[in-house]
Amino acid sequence: MKTVRKLLLWLVLAPIALVILLQAYFFVQIWWWVGHNPGTTSFMRHQRELLQEKNPNFRLQHKWVPYDRISNNLKRAIIASEDSNFSGHEGVDWDALQKAYEKNTKKRKVVAGGSTITQQLAKNLFLSGDRSYLRKAQELIITYMLEFLMDKERIFEIYLNVVEWGVGIFGAEAAAQHYFGVSAANLAPGQAARLAVMLPNPRFFDRNRGSGYLARRTSVILRRMGAAELP
């Protein structure tokens, strides 16, 4: 009987211990990134593996640049497009999530996400693109770890350097060079707005650069950029 009890106890405690160890790993990794730049992310590695299945010699386009060498035009455009309350929330914008839920329920399909810049970074750094309640819960935990350990500027700096901007294109510098032949520091307002609009579906817009929606949405973001609050 004692052996059975020990086995049951082990079956209960072992998964809990693994979860705690996993969270500790995420916490320590984020703490390290407060002062050190990530060389790669989970999402980047996953995309590289997929692309190398088709072309073993494929290499991602990615170059890290400091926050002050990224155009404020791009920063404002992304905040205006992706997370207008970035400087004000604590990682999760619950009002935006509620609005996204209501919009998706009305349309009976996913047409809005509601994820903040911090949530998007949490997913890119550590998680897969799979959708599940467990993955979403883990995303929220990592999001609050990021907000606890990092200031907004550092969160935004990492995001700008690792977010996907096309097929094998990661970070603002690679995107600016790929689409416009300029550095991230020299992006004009219109170029910055266009890059920001691409973010929800970058591989599609990389292949469909003449999209009417892309042009229309770029005009909208251009008008909103002046009100964006930078961290």
Side-chain angles (χ1 to χ4, degrees), residues 107-170:
K107 296 289 186 179
R108 296 186 179 180
K109 62 180 180 179
V110 178
V111 295
S115 292
T116 65
I117 286 172
T118 314
Q119 285 177 269
Q120 293 176 44
L121 179 59
K123 180 175 63 176
N124 287 347
L125 286 172
F126 293 110
L127 306 175
S128 69
D130 298 335
R131 292 184 177 184
S132 69
Y133 289 116
L134 282 176
R135 191 204 63 78
K136 194 66 177 180
Q138 182 64 81
E139 176 191 303
L140 292 175
I141 293 171
I142 296 170
T143 294
Y144 283 115
M145 288 182 187
L146 286 165
E147 293 277 346
F148 177 76
L149 290 169
M150 296 180 180
D151 60 28
K152 290 287 188 176
E153 183 175 306
R154 182 57 176 166
I155 290 171
F156 202 22
E157 179 182 32
I158 297 176
Y159 174 90
L160 288 164
N161 275 286
V162 302
V163 70
E164 183 187 33
W165 250 300
V167 180
I169 311 298
F170 287 87

Side-chain angles (χ1 to χ4, degrees), residues 20-204:
I20 293 173
L21 286 173
L22 181 62
Q23 306 315 310
Y25 164 76
F26 290 148
F27 189 88
V28 171
Q29 184 68 82
I30 293 168
W31 171 80
W32 176 255
W33 283 334
V34 171
H36 300 80
N37 299 329
T40 185
T41 68
S42 175
F43 191 78
M44 290 168 68
R45 291 189 294 271
H46 177 67
Q47 287 302 306
R48 182 177 59 204
E49 290 171 4
L50 292 178
L51 292 166
Q52 287 182 343
E53 288 178 1
K54 300 177 181 178
N55 177 8
N57 296 318
F58 187 89
R59 295 291 181 270
L60 299 180
Q61 297 181 47
H62 175 240
K63 181 181 178 181
W64 186 281
V65 289
Y67 187 78
D68 60 4
R69 285 174 51 195
I70 300 174
S71 169
N72 282 345
N73 290 323
L74 183 61
K75 297 167 189 173
R76 289 194 173 94
I78 290 174
I79 289 174
S81 180
E82 293 290 295
D83 187 1
S84 60
N85 195 33
F86 175 63
S87 296
H89 63 63
E90 297 180 350
V92 180
D93 190 334
W94 294 105
D95 289 338
L97 283 177
Q98 178 64 29
K99 290 177 182 177
Y101 172 77
E102 291 171 356
K103 185 178 290 185
N104 294 337
T105 301
K106 184 177 181 179
K107 296 289 186 179
R108 296 186 179 180
K109 62 180 180 179
V110 178
V111 295
S115 292
T116 65
I117 286 172
T118 314
Q119 285 177 269
Q120 293 176 44
L121 179 59
K123 180 175 63 176
N124 287 347
L125 286 172
F126 293 110
L127 306 175
S128 69
D130 298 335
R131 292 184 177 184
S132 69
Y133 289 116
L134 282 176
R135 191 204 63 78
K136 194 66 177 180
Q138 182 64 81
E139 176 191 303
L140 292 175
I141 293 171
I142 296 170
T143 294
Y144 283 115
M145 288 182 187
L146 286 165
E147 293 277 346
F148 177 76
L149 290 169
M150 296 180 180
D151 60 28
K152 290 287 188 176
E153 183 175 306
R154 182 57 176 166
I155 290 171
F156 202 22
E157 179 182 32
I158 297 176
Y159 174 90
L160 288 164
N161 275 286
V162 302
V163 70
E164 183 187 33
W165 250 300
V167 180
I169 311 298
F170 287 87
E173 183 68 18
Q177 294 285 353
H178 178 71
Y179 292 107
F180 304 112
V182 301
S183 69
N186 293 322
L187 285 165
Q191 294 169 333
R194 189 175 179 86
L195 287 178
V197 173
M198 294 178 69
L199 282 177
N201 201 354
R203 277 167 271 161
F204 173 82

